[in-house]
Amino acid sequence: MDRNRLQHQVACMRRSLFDQGYLDEPFIQLEELQDDANPNFVQEIVTLFYTNSARLIQNIEHALNSRPIDFNKLDDHMHQFKGSSSSIGAKKVTNECTVFRDYCSAENAEGCSRSFQQVKQEYAILRRKLEVYLQMVRQAAVSQTA
Amino acid sequence: MNSSIGKAYMSTASSSAGRKAGDAAAAAAAAADQFPAGLRVLVVDDDPTCLMILEKMLRTCLYEVTKCNRAETALSMLRENKNGFDVVISDVHMPDMDGFKLLEHIGLEMDLPVIMMSADDGKHVVMKGVTHGACDYLIKPVRIEALKNIWQHVVRKRKNEWKDFEQSGSVEEGDRQLKQSEDADYSSSANEGNWKSSKRRKDDEDETDERDDTSSLKKPRVVWSVELHQQFVAAVNQLGIDKAVPKKILELMNVPGLTRENVASHLQKYRLYLRRLSGVSQHPGNLNNSFMSPQEATFGPLSSLSGLDLQTLAATGQLPAQSLVTLQSSGLGRPTGKSGIPMPLIDQRNIFSFENPKLRFGEGQQQHVNNNKQMNLLHGIPTTMEPKQLAGLHHGAQSMGNMNMQVASHGSQSSQNNPLLMQMAQPQARGQMLNDSSLGHAPRLLSPMGQPMLSNGIAANVPTRNGIQENIRAPSYNPVPQTSSMLNFPMNHASELPGNSYPLGSTPGISSLTPKVAFREDVNSDIKGSVGFLPSYDIFNDLDHHKPQNWELQNVGMTFDASQHSNSLQGNLNHAQSVLVQQGFSSGQMNGQNRSATVVSKTMFSSGDSTGHVNAQNGNQPLNSLLVDGTVRVKSETPTNLYPDDFGQEDLMSALLKQQDVIAPAEHEFDFDGYSLDNIPV
């Protein structure tokens, strides 16, 4: 019962993450890659994503704060971050990255700044949700083995 | 982070490499059985998240994965273990090296299929992938489905190489191919259908056993590796070409296991090659007609080749300066004097291709691979040298490299527009787009007459698809130099190769081009430099690494008329130098881009390593193919092995004959920076 409920909760949350556009197809690919050989694959990838993102976000901050702004470099960093987030299916984050890159190519510092805030915000939201979700997944898995 | 990751990577790499080295044979055999399982993939991406995901996906596909987060590390891994991988997947944007640069390096040095990937799906970037020779381009986020089929690029490449090898042996087939392709419309898309059907036909006709039996080695042949050929040439030069008899050569070479017969047949081919280089115009009349005559086609990238060929010829000293000039001035298609510049260059390349990396999966078509390599060379080098290129050749540098690159890369692009190019770009070289690109460019260059050179029936189908080099059944397409500077490269060797055996799809024209010498008038001066390019291309990929070197081709009996080739391209021929020398290159002028047009057989010398980091498969690349001028960097899309593994004697011969023009320009790895591919109208 408990397990079923947990599983049900997991399923619901998962569906809402997709429905609300936080996650996209690539995330499903990650889930499908998880197997007995790599039972925590999704978690590992997501953790790696966090670590990498922290670094990239810092780079972007730094580039945004430098004067004069090197838009090429800025775009480079954001391109990396975008690639990273798209690889795990972080849909909203990726979309915000695109907006940022548009401003970047227009060399609109103000626009970049604003959209970067959006990027960070979406990233923070996603991270929170994912952490909750994955924890639930773990609990459900544990309860399964119990 | 990089270092730590690098270390981690290295350990992974080394372990896998060690493993590979350890049971190479067993692994190969096993792999063949379970193919594509066990495909050895090297994935390069600076993003750790992506890298890990890709690794997992590839493992799920049952591939053997090595991951790497730095391009430089990837390159050294590849260099250390040339035959350790079957395919490379690389991201475009990387901090330490541009993905396209890595792509070039790999193409030149190892001639492996490379798949690019990027979150960027802009047409421009994808096009770049094509022009640089990527055999595929994946948009991130990459789905596992996209990875499941990457083995096709490996197979295709090998198949093309094998086919080239086989093809070289059959002129008739080449003719047939040509005919088929000829009928085809030259537009790439239209051609595609034809190409496909003709290819299929050919496949059905010829390849059944080859296809079915990828794991068995065809009759064993002596593999004329780069080193071996270099030794051979050294011995021949030492004895004097007239006095060089197999017995003495054998003694001088002192290679255990080599028989007098091996040497004799190799010598025969070499002699033919030299004769060809000397520009004997065997079918003077053909020049005029050959240009568009389908049968003779088999011209690979004519345009570029011509320039190169001429150079090569000159380099070999066989082609007197005047002839060179004459050739050049006559332009393509004009049988001025020495229209007979045979494609020996190309052939040479084929013949003296380097050992190809053993076919994995037990395919015993190494030789083919080698052949391919050669082809690739050619096709990689857009023979169609645009005027710019020619100029570049001349003056070194820029254009050639760029052009080639451009051409190559644009091959595919252009192919659509330029059927000619397509043809040229055939070299299957790596089944890369590169081939296509060369083709694409070719037309541009060549079209002196304003007609598509696709005379050779090269189905201009240059498939712009991923590396479908096959289309380029290269019959020799005569690169019609568009602008004056067209390569004088005698594209139509009408003379020798009747049927340009169409190389397995790969290099059009290169492999089995019946070189029709089509000299364009306009191309005169420009081509000078390029003339005489031998298929050997130097693998200098990185101009930056080049130290300007004047090739001091000492040994070569041939004297390359450096003045003609005023390319500033400098070949770093270090290793190649000796070989080149043999070719008779007088480095002289090559300065500028330090690109040595060494015979590129697969192993391209990375320019940076002139000291010897020759990644040639066999070590030194015999520059038999006569790098025309150092600058010509043959970017072997197709494995430009000068020494195809197991290249049968007869095959070599025919390949030689056929190759003629293909050589050159196929892959000039010229500094493509100068040349903006974007300019190439696609």
Side-chain angles (χ1 to χ4, degrees):
Chain A
M1 277 303 127
D2 204 19
R3 174 172 45 159
N4 285 345
R5 202 177 50 188
L6 263 177
Q7 285 174 341
H8 180 71
Q9 281 175 345
V10 165
C12 276
M13 185 173 183
R14 183 180 175 281
R15 196 168 55 220
S16 88
L17 282 172
F18 280 95
D19 289 347
Q20 293 174 16
Y22 290 103
L23 289 179
D24 205 351
E25 165 71 26
F27 191 82
I28 299 176
Q29 298 251 321
L30 291 188
E31 292 174 319
E32 287 174 354
L33 285 173
Q34 187 159 294
D35 55 17
D36 293 340
N38 297 80
N40 299 315
F41 184 70
V42 178
Q43 179 66 70
E44 287 167 16
I45 293 288
V46 169
T47 305
L48 199 51
F49 170 66
Y50 297 151
T51 311
N52 202 38
S53 299
R55 180 177 60 88
L56 291 171
I57 286 173
Q58 207 175 13
N59 289 347
I60 297 171
E61 295 266 23
H62 185 75
L64 262 179
N65 293 333
S66 60
R67 293 287 176 275
I69 294 181
D70 182 349
F71 285 100
N72 281 337
K73 206 160 171 197
L74 200 53
D75 187 65
D76 254 4
H77 290 314
M78 185 49 89
H79 175 88
Q80 286 185 53
F81 183 61
K82 181 184 170 188
S84 200
S85 39
S86 74
S87 72
I88 68 156
K91 192 169 170 188
K92 289 196 179 197
V93 177
T94 306
N95 290 344
E96 289 302 333
C97 290
T98 307
V99 172
F100 179 95
R101 290 188 79 202
D102 288 343
Y103 281 121
C104 211
S105 57
E107 300 205 353
N108 182 340
E110 170 61 28
C112 286
S113 234
R114 272 184 288 116
S115 78
F116 185 52
Q117 297 310 312
Q118 286 296 106
V119 168
K120 284 192 288 185
Q121 193 175 349
E122 287 297 340
Y123 170 75
I125 295 171
L126 176 70
R127 184 165 174 167
R128 266 199 319 271
K129 287 185 181 280
L130 270 180
E131 278 169 356
V132 169
Y133 170 69
L134 289 176
Q135 190 176 17
M136 265 174 30
V137 168
R138 270 195 305 277
Q139 283 173 348
V142 165
S143 78
Q144 247 172 336
T145 57
Chain B
M1 170 194 283
N2 276 340
S3 56
S4 61
I5 292 179
K7 285 194 189 112
Y9 150 78
M10 281 314 283
S11 57
T12 305
S14 51
S15 63
S16 59
R19 222 184 325 118
K20 285 177 190 128
D23 351 348
D33 299 335
Q34 307 150 8
F35 185 82
L39 193 74
R40 295 163 301 170
V41 184
L42 174 65
V43 56
V44 190
D45 194 335
D46 63 306
D47 184 86
T49 315
C50 294
L51 200 58
M52 199 153 151
I53 296 174
L54 285 167
E55 187 195 20
K56 181 71 179 128
M57 284 181 173
L58 290 163
R59 290 245 157 88
T60 305
C61 297
L62 303 181
Y63 296 151
E64 207 181 277
V65 189
T66 307
K67 59 183 201 278
C68 188
N69 72 330
R70 282 177 61 88
E72 290 288 358
T73 323
L75 256 187
S76 21
M77 280 184 71
L78 287 165
R79 284 172 181 152
E80 281 163 28
N81 189 4
K82 274 219 150 84
N83 295 336
F85 300 97
D86 300 307
V87 61
V88 179
I89 303 179
S90 171
D91 189 37
V92 166
H93 295 268
M94 290 188 289
D96 66 327
M97 187 194 292
D98 179 40
F100 294 118
K101 200 123 200 95
L102 177 65
L103 168 59
E104 288 174 50
H105 276 274
I106 297 176
L108 285 174
E109 297 182 34
M110 297 105 202
D111 193 26
L112 286 175
V114 181
I115 297 168
M116 301 304 293
M117 40 169 200
S118 177
D120 199 347
D121 63 348
K123 183 182 131 184
H124 178 76
V125 188
V126 179
M127 173 71 83
K128 240 183 140 181
V130 168
T131 55
H132 285 60
C135 65
D136 204 347
Y137 190 104
L138 306 176
I139 307 294
K140 285 179 166 181
V142 178
R143 293 172 57 88
I144 194 173
E145 288 77 17
L147 296 175
K148 277 204 168 96
N149 294 326
I150 61 172
W151 59 266
Q152 65 174 292
H153 303 294
V154 177
V155 173
R156 187 177 292 115
K157 205 172 182 31
R158 298 218 188 281
K159 190 184 214 297
N160 288 342
E161 293 167 353
W162 192 90
K163 271 186 177 207
D164 286 344
F165 183 71
E166 284 291 306
Q167 286 251 349
S168 61
S170 79
V171 166
E172 297 70 34
E173 279 171 62
D175 282 337
R176 231 184 310 126
Q177 290 292 342
L178 279 176
K179 282 225 154 97
Q180 290 163 357
S181 8
E182 292 233 1
D183 298 340
D185 174 24
Y186 289 130
S187 73
S188 59
S189 48
N191 278 338
E192 261 186 315
N194 290 328
W195 171 79
K196 268 189 195 141
S197 55
S198 51
K199 178 168 195 328
R200 232 177 292 127
R201 234 170 304 149
K202 175 150 183 49
D203 283 347
D204 296 339
E205 290 158 12
D206 316 313
E207 316 308 321
T208 37
D209 48 331
E210 181 265 329
R211 265 186 317 205
D212 296 341
D213 185 7
T214 55
S215 52
S216 71
L217 196 58
K218 304 286 181 189
K219 28 191 170 144
R221 304 168 197 263
V222 167
V223 175
W224 281 91
S225 66
V226 176
E227 290 109 344
L228 200 58
H229 180 72
Q230 271 182 328
Q231 282 178 274
F232 169 83
V233 179
V236 167
N237 290 330
Q238 194 177 328
L239 294 165
I241 190 68
D242 297 331
K243 296 214 169 68
V245 289
K247 185 158 179 290
K248 292 211 177 108
I249 297 173
L250 186 66
E251 279 166 19
L252 272 179
M253 284 177 72
N254 194 22
V255 171
L258 194 65
T259 67
R260 200 202 68 81
E261 286 69 32
N262 297 142
V263 175
S265 74
H266 194 72
L267 178 64
Q268 191 184 20
K269 293 187 171 109
Y270 187 65
R271 284 221 178 95
L272 264 170
Y273 162 75
L274 292 180
R275 205 176 305 142
R276 226 165 310 159
L277 282 184
S278 64
V280 174
S281 75
Q282 328 209 321
H283 306 275
N286 289 344
L287 282 182
N288 295 322
N289 325 323
S290 60
F291 203 102
M292 298 307 285
S293 75
Q295 275 69 19
E296 324 206 35
T298 58
F299 254 13
L302 290 179
S303 51
S304 44
L305 283 179
S306 29
L308 289 176
D309 281 342
L310 288 180
Q311 263 183 339
T312 314
L313 287 178
T316 55
Q318 311 273 342
L319 185 63
Q322 303 94 333
S323 343
L324 198 56
V325 177
T326 306
L327 285 174
Q328 293 176 344
S329 49
S330 61
L332 287 177
R334 273 234 270 150
T336 341
K338 325 293 179 260
S339 51
I341 296 221
M343 301 273 228
L345 296 179
I346 306 184
D347 291 339
Q348 180 88 20
R349 234 186 356 168
N350 281 336
I351 299 190
F352 304 117
S353 66
F354 292 94
E355 265 167 4
N356 279 323
K358 303 311 169 196
L359 294 175
R360 313 258 161 58
F361 310 105
E363 284 180 21
Q365 299 141 4
Q366 317 237 340
Q367 56 232 61
H368 310 310
V369 173
N370 287 330
N371 248 352
N372 247 348
K373 302 242 175 188
Q374 297 176 346
M375 309 284 187
N376 291 338
L377 264 189
L378 282 182
H379 78 108
I381 300 193
T383 45
T384 47
M385 301 254 281
E386 297 200 347
K388 253 203 258 190
Q389 273 187 341
L390 290 180
L393 278 182
H394 230 2
H395 314 297
Q398 337 92 25
S399 45
M400 257 310 215
N402 298 338
M403 291 303 287
N404 287 326
M405 283 308 300
Q406 311 290 344
V407 174
S409 38
H410 280 298
S412 43
Q413 310 318 342
S414 358
S415 49
Q416 301 187 348
N417 306 322
N418 292 318
L420 268 190
L421 265 191
M422 303 276 267
Q423 298 188 337
M424 285 234 296
Q426 269 311 299
Q428 1 199 257
R430 314 190 264 181
Q432 311 254 358
M433 291 304 247
L434 188 50
N435 293 331
D436 293 341
S437 39
S438 350
L439 279 183
H441 291 289
R444 244 156 4 137
L445 290 178
L446 305 171
S447 52
M449 349 266 211
Q451 342 172 343
M453 290 287 277
L454 304 172
S455 52
N456 299 323
I458 293 198
N461 300 315
V462 168
T464 36
R465 317 181 255 190
N466 302 331
I468 303 195
Q469 268 61 16
E470 284 138 353
N471 285 343
I472 317 217
R473 288 289 176 143
S476 38
Y477 84 104
N478 296 318
V480 179
Q482 319 200 337
T483 42
S484 54
S485 48
M486 283 318 291
L487 305 174
N488 292 316
F489 174 73
M491 294 308 283
N492 303 310
H493 290 283
S495 45
E496 277 140 322
L497 308 181
N500 295 336
S501 43
Y502 178 75
L504 299 186
S506 49
T507 39
I510 299 210
S511 35
S512 55
L513 299 177
T514 328
K516 289 192 207 198
V517 181
F519 292 106
R520 278 194 53 93
E521 299 152 17
D522 340 342
V523 190
N524 316 348
S525 46
D526 291 344
I527 308 204
K528 296 213 192 139
S530 48
V531 172
F533 261 106
L534 257 196
S536 53
Y537 292 102
D538 177 12
I539 336 196
F540 296 126
N541 352 83
D542 205 350
L543 190 52
D544 300 335
H545 302 304
H546 288 279
K547 299 158 217 182
Q549 299 190 11
N550 286 333
W551 293 0
E552 321 275 345
L553 305 168
Q554 313 86 358
N555 316 332
V556 182
M558 322 220 235
T559 40
F560 177 74
D561 188 336
S563 56
Q564 307 222 323
H565 178 74
S566 52
N567 290 0
S568 48
L569 301 176
Q570 303 202 0
N572 274 327
L573 274 196
N574 304 317
H575 310 278
Q577 286 204 351
S578 54
V579 176
L580 274 187
V581 172
Q582 304 184 338
Q583 309 294 347
F585 264 118
S586 48
S587 50
Q589 297 42 15
M590 332 249 203
N591 24 329
Q593 327 226 347
N594 297 324
R595 294 213 192 288
S596 351
T598 39
V599 172
V600 171
S601 33
K602 297 227 358 191
T603 52
M604 292 281 207
F605 286 65
S606 48
S607 43
D609 323 1
S610 47
T611 36
H613 181 111
V614 180
N615 288 327
Q617 301 280 355
N618 316 305
N620 287 341
Q621 311 240 354
L623 297 179
N624 298 320
S625 30
L626 297 190
L627 286 186
V628 179
D629 51 4
T631 48
V632 178
R633 222 187 359 190
V634 174
K635 185 186 176 83
S636 50
E637 306 196 83
T638 50
T640 46
N641 282 348
L642 292 183
Y643 300 91
D645 288 336
D646 304 330
F647 198 108
Q649 309 292 337
E650 300 66 33
D651 295 337
L652 279 181
M653 263 317 210
S654 42
L656 249 191
L657 292 175
K658 297 198 184 96
Q659 293 289 323
Q660 306 160 332
D661 301 2
V662 179
I663 313 178
E667 318 232 349
H668 278 296
E669 175 92 85
F670 288 101
D671 181 358
F672 58 93
D673 294 330
Y675 188 91
S676 149
L677 284 178
D678 296 335
N679 299 334
I680 297 180
V682 172

